[in-house]
Amino acid sequence: MNRPHYGYSRSNSRYASSSGKNNYRHHQPFSPHDTTLQGLARTAAAMDGRNYGSYKSLKGRYQGEGFELSLHRVQSDPYAPPSACSITVPIEQTGITCDLLDCYDKVIAVCDFIARRFHATITTINAGRWLSIAQCGQEIMERSYSTIHDGHLEVRFQVSMPARGRRIMGREAQRIFAELIPQLVMGRRGACRFEPGSNALSQLREHVNTYCDWLELNRIRARHNWVAFISDGSILARSSGISDKPMTDALAFSAPDSMRTTVELPSGEILTGMPIPAGVTLIVGGGYHGKSTLLRALERSVYAHIPGDGRERVVCDPLAAKIRSEDGRAVTKVDISTFIQNVPTGADTTCFSTANASGSTSQAASIAEVLEAGASTLLIDEDTCATNMMIRDERMRCLVTSEPITPFVDRVRSFFIDEGVSTILVMGGSGDYLDVADRVLMLDNYQIYDVTDQAQQVCLKMPRGQKHTTSGSGVKAHGKSEPDKCGESSCLQDSYDARDNSVWPSRDSDDNAVRKIQKSEEGGNAALHGKTRQCKHTHSNTYAWLNNVTSRSDSTVSNKLGRPMTHVTPGAPRTGRVPFPSLLVRQRMLMPGAIPGESGRQKTKAHGLDGFSLNRNDVDLSAVEQIVDRGQTEAIAWAVRYMCTELADSRQPWDIFTVLDNVIDLIDAHGLDALSDMPHPAFLVRPRRLDIACALNRLRTLRVDSMSCISVSTS
């Protein structure tokens, strides 16, 4: 008896079998009737040798032992993106206890852990050739590919349907569905199985507790008006420049005695460490002593970290923005007049645009853009900044009197005093910032010291505006200072000669005292420019409303889960939210038509951490350093498309701050899936609103206008 052949014959007859008889029925579109996972495996085996496109008939839902497998999209070509699949497991089948799911914060941590375990299990069972899921980094984040809703755990992953050339490998496909996937999900060491008392359940509990403790530490930071908190024993150094894993032999962090503070977590754990208060904090030290390592740890600590990372007890303001120069980026109608005025070309710097910004212009625009989006802390490293944007020494001020750029050193105090925007700055090459810093920290051989008092003495001995030579090192890391010899007075006879200790804010001073200090500093800087300098803004704002850690209540969770994905109307009023708080920059309106070609075929593609494409418009995010996961890039791409298409539908402009609010509301209400127009988007990770704003501002086809130039409806 001849065994039927399920591939095309080499004979002239298109539908002839190897036996020479008509076997047309084997090439009809296949419709499996057995909806069990074992039935799917048998069906896949029976398709051995058929054309690869026959795999598409397997699309559907199949019941396994303790879980359900869904094939949402099946690839039609072996070289196409892998097939999109998901498994759904009832929570009671997983063994996860109720105390780990009693609030949304814990749900995020549980889902993050399962996504990591899913990836590790794929490697353990040697299934990486056929099965794949996005690899998680060191941060605990909200992910679209691992969620809990309606009492079920859902994990999305991909399957590369096996083929030999363009023919189906049915036996290998049978092994995938009958052996690998059941072993991956609910096997003895399955990713979704947590036996009571098992090591996996203990690791899950530690993961959840780490995330909840980080959130509580962030709330403590906000209550004390700290910008950041670094716990003693933290490991800040990374193993290499291309790895985010901790260095094995790194020196643990130890807070200076003068700044060490104790906090108690709800779990009863007592932490000691160094808080960084709101204000201007300067980090100094020699090269290779750990300055940038500390700042890098702070910029990454806007996210929680997994157990064993070393930064689990490091928190930073969630609305902190890393600023750097970015030659060649596009700038669209941004108010950079805070830093740049009276340019020789006569360009209006209150509404400045360029397709190829210089280093200083791009840095000024980046500061204005993040403030527009609601940033409350700036993180700056001199190594990645434009020099003429950061400092301008007294000799150059004396020689060049027509400089249009006001350096950051002349603005950083007013940012905090008038706008409530704090700054943490790494500076190793200029002492000018010692005059404007509230706190000076020194890194010496990766040990941190509070040298605020010594820095004050240096400023008194070497005031800005004087030539000076130094016979010694000036400030010692261990709290001792050496005498310095100052030279004769420079050609600039300014008010710095009469400075005394009052120019340094006391650590317990009130707002009035701080404002007096600011007036003194403004007067000194005005003398440098040879004219009376007035503060641009007279009001005082606070960013306290931005310091709360975003978390969903149980009621919000119940509303989110199972709700249809409806869009939030741009411009809709938000309850309990203060309007755009800062007048440092002119608010801009986002205009319809930012993405050309929306009426035709739409294409959204992410390129790792470096950027994404909307249709044929590339957005470069390589300089946005706080995007830490590829899934964030993809979510940002969909968020930018959503904002632009919603504006096109509404046919009216909306201010950027409100549009960002609506995107965050959409995610809060309906999850990350609501951003994408694709069913079951796999590997999205929640981005920050500041990073969405950075991407929007780097869209070269962006269409915006100044609020003062158009009429805005408030209805």
Side-chain angles (χ1 to χ4, degrees):
M1 179 177 179
N2 292 329
R3 183 174 295 178
H5 179 69
Y6 293 98
Y8 293 135
S9 172
R10 296 180 181 176
S11 65
N12 293 331
S13 175
R14 182 179 180 184
Y15 300 113
S17 67
S18 58
S19 62
K21 298 181 180 180
N22 190 342
N23 200 20
Y24 176 78
R25 64 185 181 87
H26 293 297
H27 300 277
Q28 297 300 312
F30 189 80
S31 299
H33 298 287
D34 192 343
T35 58
T36 66
L37 196 59
Q38 291 299 325
L40 171 64
R42 289 192 295 269
T43 301
M47 298 172 68
D48 185 58
R50 294 192 61 178
N51 187 282
Y52 195 89
S54 300
Y55 269 137
K56 294 182 71 68
S57 63
L58 300 181
K59 183 178 178 180
R61 300 166 66 180
Y62 302 91
Q63 189 63 44
E65 187 175 350
F67 69 96
E68 183 180 78
L69 172 69
S70 298
L71 301 180
H72 303 294
R73 177 187 57 80
V74 180
Q75 61 197 103
S76 57
D77 186 272
Y79 304 102
S83 303
C85 308
S86 69
I87 58 97
T88 304
V89 187
I91 287 296
E92 58 269 17
Q93 295 284 342
T94 64
I96 300 175
T97 56
C98 295
D99 63 302
L100 295 175
L101 301 170
D102 55 10
C103 71
Y104 194 77
D105 293 337
K106 292 182 179 180
V107 170
I108 290 178
V110 167
C111 293
D112 180 271
F113 182 83
I114 291 176
R116 297 171 187 277
R117 195 161 185 246
F118 214 85
H119 183 274
T121 306
I122 289 176
T123 304
T124 301
I125 64 176
N126 296 319
R129 180 181 178 186
W130 310 118
L131 308 178
S132 61
I133 191 172
Q135 184 174 3
C136 303
Q138 298 293 100
E139 294 79 17
I140 302 176
M141 310 179 77
E142 182 179 350
R143 308 176 189 276
S144 69
Y145 47 97
S146 179
T147 57
I148 293 177
H149 54 86
D150 299 330
H152 289 75
L153 166 67
E154 180 186 9
V155 181
R156 299 172 186 173
F157 61 103
Q158 293 179 335
V159 176
S160 298
M161 296 296 191
R164 182 181 295 107
R166 295 186 182 274
R167 299 292 178 180
I168 291 175
M169 294 175 62
R171 299 299 179 187
E172 195 64 35
Q174 180 185 29
R175 177 174 172 266
I176 292 173
F177 296 122
E179 299 178 19
L180 295 183
I181 291 180
Q183 186 179 357
L184 169 65
V185 179
M186 296 297 288
R188 187 171 62 91
R189 296 184 179 179
C192 302
R193 184 173 179 177
F194 298 88
E195 296 289 347
S198 64
N199 187 42
L201 188 59
S202 299
Q203 292 175 348
L204 173 61
R205 192 174 302 278
E206 182 186 9
H207 196 85
V208 172
N209 291 339
T210 298
Y211 182 65
C212 292
D213 285 346
W214 182 89
L215 289 176
E216 185 56 38
L217 187 58
N218 218 337
R219 296 185 184 102
I220 294 173
R221 176 206 58 79
R223 287 198 297 269
H224 288 82
N225 198 28
W226 297 336
V227 173
F229 179 86
I230 308 172
S231 178
D232 287 342
S234 298
I235 302 298
L236 306 184
R238 301 294 95 186
S239 61
S240 69
I242 59 174
S243 174
D244 200 37
K245 294 184 178 180
M247 183 180 292
T248 55
D249 56 348
L251 190 65
F253 180 86
S254 179
D257 293 337
S258 61
M259 298 183 66
R260 181 171 284 112
T261 302
T262 300
V263 298
E264 182 177 358
L265 300 178
S267 62
E269 182 179 1
I270 304 296
L271 296 179
T272 61
M274 182 186 75
I276 298 180
V280 181
T281 301
L282 189 63
I283 302 173
V284 300
Y288 305 98
H289 282 257
K291 303 187 303 297
S292 297
T293 298
L294 174 59
L295 190 72
R296 183 70 169 170
L298 293 177
E299 73 182 58
R300 288 297 187 101
S301 294
V302 297
Y303 308 107
H305 289 90
I306 61 174
D309 173 81
R311 298 168 292 185
E312 306 95 308
R313 298 295 187 263
V314 181
V315 296
C316 187
D317 179 7
L319 289 174
K322 176 69 181 298
I323 302 297
R324 59 171 298 165
S325 65
E326 190 177 350
D327 290 348
R329 63 154 292 195
V331 175
T332 307
K333 295 187 177 180
V334 178
D335 182 2
I336 60 173
S337 60
T338 302
F339 299 103
I340 303 176
Q341 294 179 347
N342 302 321
V343 294
T345 60
D348 181 11
T349 57
T350 64
C351 193
F352 186 82
S353 297
T354 179
N356 187 20
S358 65
S360 56
T361 303
S362 63
Q363 187 172 338
S366 294
I367 293 174
E369 289 164 353
V370 297
L371 292 179
E372 179 187 41
S376 53
T377 301
L378 304 179
L379 307 176
I380 300 178
D381 190 337
E382 65 170 342
D383 287 348
T384 56
C385 292
T387 302
N388 59 342
M389 176 66 187
M390 298 302 296
I391 56 172
R392 188 163 172 249
D393 65 26
E394 312 308 333
R395 288 178 173 176
M396 195 59 68
R397 290 176 191 262
C398 184
L399 179 65
V400 180
T401 59
S402 59
E403 173 60 64
I405 299 176
T406 301
F408 188 73
V409 67
D410 292 342
R411 295 296 195 215
V412 64
R413 287 301 306 167
S414 61
F415 271 39
F416 176 61
I417 298 299
D418 294 334
E419 305 299 332
V421 179
S422 298
T423 301
I424 300 177
L425 175 68
V426 168
M427 179 63 65
S430 172
D432 287 357
Y433 280 89
L434 298 177
D435 290 289
V436 296
D438 296 310
R439 179 76 64 177
V440 182
L441 304 175
M442 175 177 283
L443 270 298
D444 184 19
N445 289 324
Y446 293 95
Q447 290 281 6
I448 192 164
Y449 302 91
D450 178 11
V451 295
T452 305
D453 295 335
Q454 296 93 305
Q456 179 180 354
Q457 295 302 317
V458 170
C459 290
L460 293 176
K461 294 177 181 178
M462 301 178 182
R464 287 174 65 189
Q466 289 187 352
K467 294 180 181 179
H468 53 269
T469 58
T470 305
S471 59
S473 60
V475 178
K476 288 293 186 180
H478 298 280
K480 298 180 180 179
S481 60
E482 293 183 357
D484 300 311
K485 298 179 180 179
C486 299
E488 61 185 37
S489 176
S490 69
C491 60
L492 297 177
Q493 299 298 326
D494 55 46
S495 61
Y496 280 93
D497 295 336
R499 279 189 149 191
D500 56 19
N501 291 344
S502 64
V503 301
W504 279 78
S506 63
R507 300 174 194 175
D508 55 354
S509 61
D510 57 16
D511 291 341
N512 292 331
V514 174
R515 291 187 179 280
K516 291 179 182 178
I517 295 164
Q518 174 63 14
K519 290 180 181 179
S520 172
E521 290 185 352
E522 292 290 345
N525 289 336
L528 294 177
H529 292 278
K531 60 183 180 181
T532 302
R533 179 176 158 203
Q534 297 179 350
C535 184
K536 186 178 179 182
H537 310 292
T538 59
H539 69 286
S540 174
N541 289 314
T542 177
Y543 278 74
W545 63 276
L546 288 172
N547 285 333
N548 295 325
V549 179
T550 301
S551 60
R552 304 177 194 172
S553 63
D554 293 338
S555 60
T556 306
V557 178
S558 61
N559 289 335
K560 170 185 178 292
L561 303 179
R563 284 179 64 174
M565 291 189 295
T566 56
H567 292 309
V568 181
T569 304
R574 291 170 57 91
T575 59
R577 175 61 66 91
V578 179
F580 178 69
S582 176
L583 298 179
L584 267 175
V585 292
R586 185 176 300 179
Q587 180 71 358
R588 295 174 300 160
M589 307 298 293
L590 187 60
M591 309 293 289
I595 307 178
E598 282 294 330
S599 58
R601 181 181 178 184
Q602 300 182 9
K603 184 178 181 181
T604 303
K605 184 177 181 180
H607 309 297
L609 297 176
D610 294 332
F612 59 88
S613 300
L614 299 179
N615 298 344
R616 294 185 178 181
N617 304 297
D618 294 331
V619 179
D620 184 7
L621 298 179
S622 58
V624 185
E625 300 179 34
Q626 288 175 287
I627 298 176
V628 298
D629 194 289
R630 298 186 178 194
Q632 285 183 297
T633 308
E634 188 166 349
I636 289 171
W638 285 109
V640 172
R641 181 178 288 283
Y642 166 79
M643 289 188 288
C644 296
T645 54
E646 285 295 305
L647 284 172
D649 293 341
S650 66
R651 299 174 181 265
Q652 59 179 320
W654 300 98
D655 67 274
I656 290 179
F657 192 82
T658 301
V659 173
L660 290 171
D661 274 348
N662 279 272
V663 171
I664 299 303
D665 281 348
L666 182 70
I667 299 174
D668 287 342
H670 308 299
L672 290 163
D673 286 2
L675 293 176
S676 175
D677 59 9
M678 297 178 61
H680 306 281
F683 303 140
L684 302 183
V685 179
R686 183 171 185 134
R688 300 190 310 152
R689 63 176 290 127
L690 296 182
D691 298 327
I692 298 175
C694 288
L696 181 67
N697 282 297
R698 283 158 178 76
L699 183 64
R700 291 186 175 273
T701 56
L702 181 67
R703 297 185 63 229
V704 296
D705 206 344
S706 172
M707 181 180 286
S708 62
C709 299
I710 60 177
S711 175
V712 181
S713 173
T714 57
S715 59

mmCIF file with all atom_site columns, all heavy atoms in Angstrom, residues 150 555-566 668-670:
data_model
loop_
_atom_site.group_PDB
_atom_site.id
_atom_site.type_symbol
_atom_site.label_atom_id
_atom_site.label_alt_id
_atom_site.label_comp_id
_atom_site.label_asym_id
_atom_site.label_entity_id
_atom_site.label_seq_id
_atom_site.pdbx_PDB_ins_code
_atom_site.Cartn_x
_atom_site.Cartn_y
_atom_site.Cartn_z
_atom_site.occupancy
_atom_site.B_iso_or_equiv
_atom_site.pdbx_formal_charge
_atom_site.auth_seq_id
_atom_site.auth_comp_id
_atom_site.auth_asym_id
_atom_site.auth_atom_id
_atom_site.pdbx_PDB_model_num
ATOM 1   N N   . ASP A 1 150 ? -8.736  39.420 33.900 1.00 0.00 ? 150 ASP A N   1
ATOM 2   C CA  . ASP A 1 150 ? -9.899  38.530 34.010 1.00 0.00 ? 150 ASP A CA  1
ATOM 3   C C   . ASP A 1 150 ? -9.540  37.185 34.632 1.00 0.00 ? 150 ASP A C   1
ATOM 4   O O   . ASP A 1 150 ? -10.049 36.133 34.226 1.00 0.00 ? 150 ASP A O   1
ATOM 5   C CB  . ASP A 1 150 ? -10.541 38.301 32.632 1.00 0.00 ? 150 ASP A CB  1
ATOM 6   C CG  . ASP A 1 150 ? -11.046 39.593 32.023 1.00 0.00 ? 150 ASP A CG  1
ATOM 7   O OD1 . ASP A 1 150 ? -11.429 40.492 32.795 1.00 0.00 ? 150 ASP A OD1 1
ATOM 8   O OD2 . ASP A 1 150 ? -11.041 39.712 30.783 1.00 0.00 ? 150 ASP A OD2 1
ATOM 9   N N   . SER A 1 555 ? -9.267  50.088 41.614 1.00 0.00 ? 555 SER A N   1
ATOM 10  C CA  . SER A 1 555 ? -10.431 50.427 40.814 1.00 0.00 ? 555 SER A CA  1
ATOM 11  C C   . SER A 1 555 ? -10.041 50.727 39.378 1.00 0.00 ? 555 SER A C   1
ATOM 12  O O   . SER A 1 555 ? -10.743 50.367 38.440 1.00 0.00 ? 555 SER A O   1
ATOM 13  C CB  . SER A 1 555 ? -11.155 51.635 41.418 1.00 0.00 ? 555 SER A CB  1
ATOM 14  O OG  . SER A 1 555 ? -10.281 52.763 41.469 1.00 0.00 ? 555 SER A OG  1
ATOM 15  N N   . THR A 1 556 ? -8.884  51.395 39.192 1.00 0.00 ? 556 THR A N   1
ATOM 16  C CA  . THR A 1 556 ? -8.421  51.663 37.837 1.00 0.00 ? 556 THR A CA  1
ATOM 17  C C   . THR A 1 556 ? -8.096  50.370 37.104 1.00 0.00 ? 556 THR A C   1
ATOM 18  O O   . THR A 1 556 ? -8.361  50.227 35.922 1.00 0.00 ? 556 THR A O   1
ATOM 19  C CB  . THR A 1 556 ? -7.162  52.549 37.878 1.00 0.00 ? 556 THR A CB  1
ATOM 20  O OG1 . THR A 1 556 ? -7.441  53.718 38.647 1.00 0.00 ? 556 THR A OG1 1
ATOM 21  C CG2 . THR A 1 556 ? -6.735  52.933 36.479 1.00 0.00 ? 556 THR A CG2 1
ATOM 22  N N   . VAL A 1 557 ? -7.550  49.397 37.845 1.00 0.00 ? 557 VAL A N   1
ATOM 23  C CA  . VAL A 1 557 ? -7.217  48.116 37.228 1.00 0.00 ? 557 VAL A CA  1
ATOM 24  C C   . VAL A 1 557 ? -8.471  47.430 36.718 1.00 0.00 ? 557 VAL A C   1
ATOM 25  O O   . VAL A 1 557 ? -8.530  46.945 35.594 1.00 0.00 ? 557 VAL A O   1
ATOM 26  C CB  . VAL A 1 557 ? -6.494  47.207 38.237 1.00 0.00 ? 557 VAL A CB  1
ATOM 27  C CG1 . VAL A 1 557 ? -6.206  45.865 37.610 1.00 0.00 ? 557 VAL A CG1 1
ATOM 28  C CG2 . VAL A 1 557 ? -5.202  47.849 38.683 1.00 0.00 ? 557 VAL A CG2 1
ATOM 29  N N   . SER A 1 558 ? -9.491  47.409 37.550 1.00 0.00 ? 558 SER A N   1
ATOM 30  C CA  . SER A 1 558 ? -10.712 46.731 37.143 1.00 0.00 ? 558 SER A CA  1
ATOM 31  C C   . SER A 1 558 ? -11.346 47.420 35.951 1.00 0.00 ? 558 SER A C   1
ATOM 32  O O   . SER A 1 558 ? -11.967 46.792 35.108 1.00 0.00 ? 558 SER A O   1
ATOM 33  C CB  . SER A 1 558 ? -11.704 46.690 38.315 1.00 0.00 ? 558 SER A CB  1
ATOM 34  O OG  . SER A 1 558 ? -12.047 48.008 38.721 1.00 0.00 ? 558 SER A OG  1
ATOM 35  N N   . ASN A 1 559 ? -11.180 48.760 35.849 1.00 0.00 ? 559 ASN A N   1
ATOM 36  C CA  . ASN A 1 559 ? -11.713 49.463 34.699 1.00 0.00 ? 559 ASN A CA  1
ATOM 37  C C   . ASN A 1 559 ? -10.906 49.157 33.447 1.00 0.00 ? 559 ASN A C   1
ATOM 38  O O   . ASN A 1 559 ? -11.441 49.079 32.353 1.00 0.00 ? 559 ASN A O   1
ATOM 39  C CB  . ASN A 1 559 ? -11.694 50.975 34.954 1.00 0.00 ? 559 ASN A CB  1
ATOM 40  C CG  . ASN A 1 559 ? -12.724 51.386 35.986 1.00 0.00 ? 559 ASN A CG  1
ATOM 41  O OD1 . ASN A 1 559 ? -13.708 50.692 36.165 1.00 0.00 ? 559 ASN A OD1 1
ATOM 42  N ND2 . ASN A 1 559 ? -12.479 52.504 36.660 1.00 0.00 ? 559 ASN A ND2 1
ATOM 43  N N   . LYS A 1 560 ? -9.586  49.015 33.616 1.00 0.00 ? 560 LYS A N   1
ATOM 44  C CA  . LYS A 1 560 ? -8.714  48.771 32.469 1.00 0.00 ? 560 LYS A CA  1
ATOM 45  C C   . LYS A 1 560 ? -8.947  47.400 31.866 1.00 0.00 ? 560 LYS A C   1
ATOM 46  O O   . LYS A 1 560 ? -9.037  47.242 30.657 1.00 0.00 ? 560 LYS A O   1
ATOM 47  C CB  . LYS A 1 560 ? -7.254  48.903 32.889 1.00 0.00 ? 560 LYS A CB  1
ATOM 48  C CG  . LYS A 1 560 ? -6.262  48.433 31.842 1.00 0.00 ? 560 LYS A CG  1
ATOM 49  C CD  . LYS A 1 560 ? -4.873  48.479 32.399 1.00 0.00 ? 560 LYS A CD  1
ATOM 50  C CE  . LYS A 1 560 ? -3.875  47.955 31.383 1.00 0.00 ? 560 LYS A CE  1
ATOM 51  N NZ  . LYS A 1 560 ? -4.019  46.526 31.142 1.00 0.00 ? 560 LYS A NZ  1
ATOM 52  N N   . LEU A 1 561 ? -9.043  46.386 32.723 1.00 0.00 ? 561 LEU A N   1
ATOM 53  C CA  . LEU A 1 561 ? -9.091  45.024 32.224 1.00 0.00 ? 561 LEU A CA  1
ATOM 54  C C   . LEU A 1 561 ? -10.446 44.751 31.596 1.00 0.00 ? 561 LEU A C   1
ATOM 55  O O   . LEU A 1 561 ? -11.491 44.937 32.199 1.00 0.00 ? 561 LEU A O   1
ATOM 56  C CB  . LEU A 1 561 ? -8.833  44.039 33.363 1.00 0.00 ? 561 LEU A CB  1
ATOM 57  C CG  . LEU A 1 561 ? -7.506  44.260 34.090 1.00 0.00 ? 561 LEU A CG  1
ATOM 58  C CD1 . LEU A 1 561 ? -7.358  43.263 35.214 1.00 0.00 ? 561 LEU A CD1 1
ATOM 59  C CD2 . LEU A 1 561 ? -6.352  44.146 33.122 1.00 0.00 ? 561 LEU A CD2 1
ATOM 60  N N   . GLY A 1 562 ? -10.419 44.306 30.372 1.00 0.00 ? 562 GLY A N   1
ATOM 61  C CA  . GLY A 1 562 ? -11.646 43.911 29.707 1.00 0.00 ? 562 GLY A CA  1
ATOM 62  C C   . GLY A 1 562 ? -12.393 45.036 29.034 1.00 0.00 ? 562 GLY A C   1
ATOM 63  O O   . GLY A 1 562 ? -13.415 44.797 28.402 1.00 0.00 ? 562 GLY A O   1
ATOM 64  N N   . ARG A 1 563 ? -11.918 46.281 29.136 1.00 0.00 ? 563 ARG A N   1
ATOM 65  C CA  . ARG A 1 563 ? -12.617 47.382 28.496 1.00 0.00 ? 563 ARG A CA  1
ATOM 66  C C   . ARG A 1 563 ? -12.250 47.448 27.029 1.00 0.00 ? 563 ARG A C   1
ATOM 67  O O   . ARG A 1 563 ? -11.140 47.146 26.627 1.00 0.00 ? 563 ARG A O   1
ATOM 68  C CB  . ARG A 1 563 ? -12.253 48.710 29.170 1.00 0.00 ? 563 ARG A CB  1
ATOM 69  C CG  . ARG A 1 563 ? -12.941 48.919 30.491 1.00 0.00 ? 563 ARG A CG  1
ATOM 70  C CD  . ARG A 1 563 ? -12.544 50.230 31.132 1.00 0.00 ? 563 ARG A CD  1
ATOM 71  N NE  . ARG A 1 563 ? -12.970 51.370 30.340 1.00 0.00 ? 563 ARG A NE  1
ATOM 72  C CZ  . ARG A 1 563 ? -12.829 52.632 30.752 1.00 0.00 ? 563 ARG A CZ  1
ATOM 73  N NH1 . ARG A 1 563 ? -12.298 52.871 31.924 1.00 0.00 ? 563 ARG A NH1 1
ATOM 74  N NH2 . ARG A 1 563 ? -13.221 53.634 29.996 1.00 0.00 ? 563 ARG A NH2 1
ATOM 75  N N   . PRO A 1 564 ? -13.189 47.878 26.165 1.00 0.00 ? 564 PRO A N   1
ATOM 76  C CA  . PRO A 1 564 ? -12.846 48.040 24.757 1.00 0.00 ? 564 PRO A CA  1
ATOM 77  C C   . PRO A 1 564 ? -11.834 49.150 24.577 1.00 0.00 ? 564 PRO A C   1
ATOM 78  O O   . PRO A 1 564 ? -11.794 50.107 25.358 1.00 0.00 ? 564 PRO A O   1
ATOM 79  C CB  . PRO A 1 564 ? -14.195 48.398 24.106 1.00 0.00 ? 564 PRO A CB  1
ATOM 80  C CG  . PRO A 1 564 ? -15.005 48.979 25.219 1.00 0.00 ? 564 PRO A CG  1
ATOM 81  C CD  . PRO A 1 564 ? -14.579 48.224 26.451 1.00 0.00 ? 564 PRO A CD  1
ATOM 82  N N   . MET A 1 565 ? -11.018 49.051 23.560 1.00 0.00 ? 565 MET A N   1
ATOM 83  C CA  . MET A 1 565 ? -9.955  50.025 23.339 1.00 0.00 ? 565 MET A CA  1
ATOM 84  C C   . MET A 1 565 ? -10.523 51.227 22.599 1.00 0.00 ? 565 MET A C   1
ATOM 85  O O   . MET A 1 565 ? -10.565 51.268 21.369 1.00 0.00 ? 565 MET A O   1
ATOM 86  C CB  . MET A 1 565 ? -8.811  49.387 22.552 1.00 0.00 ? 565 MET A CB  1
ATOM 87  C CG  . MET A 1 565 ? -8.046  48.357 23.336 1.00 0.00 ? 565 MET A CG  1
ATOM 88  S SD  . MET A 1 565 ? -6.577  47.797 22.505 1.00 0.00 ? 565 MET A SD  1
ATOM 89  C CE  . MET A 1 565 ? -7.298  46.994 21.085 1.00 0.00 ? 565 MET A CE  1
ATOM 90  N N   . THR A 1 566 ? -10.995 52.197 23.346 1.00 0.00 ? 566 THR A N   1
ATOM 91  C CA  . THR A 1 566 ? -11.509 53.431 22.771 1.00 0.00 ? 566 THR A CA  1
ATOM 92  C C   . THR A 1 566 ? -10.485 54.519 22.978 1.00 0.00 ? 566 THR A C   1
ATOM 93  O O   . THR A 1 566 ? -9.772  54.542 23.971 1.00 0.00 ? 566 THR A O   1
ATOM 94  C CB  . THR A 1 566 ? -12.823 53.839 23.443 1.00 0.00 ? 566 THR A CB  1
ATOM 95  O OG1 . THR A 1 566 ? -12.607 53.952 24.854 1.00 0.00 ? 566 THR A OG1 1
ATOM 96  C CG2 . THR A 1 566 ? -13.908 52.809 23.182 1.00 0.00 ? 566 THR A CG2 1
ATOM 97  N N   . ASP A 1 668 ? -2.937  54.268 30.731 1.00 0.00 ? 668 ASP A N   1
ATOM 98  C CA  . ASP A 1 668 ? -3.453  53.974 32.066 1.00 0.00 ? 668 ASP A CA  1
ATOM 99  C C   . ASP A 1 668 ? -4.802  53.273 31.999 1.00 0.00 ? 668 ASP A C   1
ATOM 100 O O   . ASP A 1 668 ? -5.085  52.356 32.774 1.00 0.00 ? 668 ASP A O   1
ATOM 101 C CB  . ASP A 1 668 ? -3.596  55.268 32.877 1.00 0.00 ? 668 ASP A CB  1
ATOM 102 C CG  . ASP A 1 668 ? -2.252  55.825 33.321 1.00 0.00 ? 668 ASP A CG  1
ATOM 103 O OD1 . ASP A 1 668 ? -1.265  55.062 33.306 1.00 0.00 ? 668 ASP A OD1 1
ATOM 104 O OD2 . ASP A 1 668 ? -2.187  57.011 33.677 1.00 0.00 ? 668 ASP A OD2 1
ATOM 105 N N   . ALA A 1 669 ? -5.644  53.717 31.079 1.00 0.00 ? 669 ALA A N   1
ATOM 106 C CA  . ALA A 1 669 ? -7.008  53.194 31.027 1.00 0.00 ? 669 ALA A CA  1
ATOM 107 C C   . ALA A 1 669 ? -7.105  51.866 30.300 1.00 0.00 ? 669 ALA A C   1
ATOM 108 O O   . ALA A 1 669 ? -7.865  50.985 30.714 1.00 0.00 ? 669 ALA A O   1
ATOM 109 C CB  . ALA A 1 669 ? -7.928  54.222 30.355 1.00 0.00 ? 669 ALA A CB  1
ATOM 110 N N   . HIS A 1 670 ? -6.347  51.696 29.221 1.00 0.00 ? 670 HIS A N   1
ATOM 111 C CA  . HIS A 1 670 ? -6.553  50.531 28.362 1.00 0.00 ? 670 HIS A CA  1
ATOM 112 C C   . HIS A 1 670 ? -5.295  49.720 28.082 1.00 0.00 ? 670 HIS A C   1
ATOM 113 O O   . HIS A 1 670 ? -5.338  48.761 27.316 1.00 0.00 ? 670 HIS A O   1
ATOM 114 C CB  . HIS A 1 670 ? -7.164  50.985 27.022 1.00 0.00 ? 670 HIS A CB  1
ATOM 115 C CG  . HIS A 1 670 ? -8.378  51.842 27.181 1.00 0.00 ? 670 HIS A CG  1
ATOM 116 N ND1 . HIS A 1 670 ? -9.519  51.403 27.792 1.00 0.00 ? 670 HIS A ND1 1
ATOM 117 C CD2 . HIS A 1 670 ? -8.617  53.126 26.827 1.00 0.00 ? 670 HIS A CD2 1
ATOM 118 C CE1 . HIS A 1 670 ? -10.423 52.379 27.800 1.00 0.00 ? 670 HIS A CE1 1
ATOM 119 N NE2 . HIS A 1 670 ? -9.896  53.429 27.228 1.00 0.00 ? 670 HIS A NE2 1
#
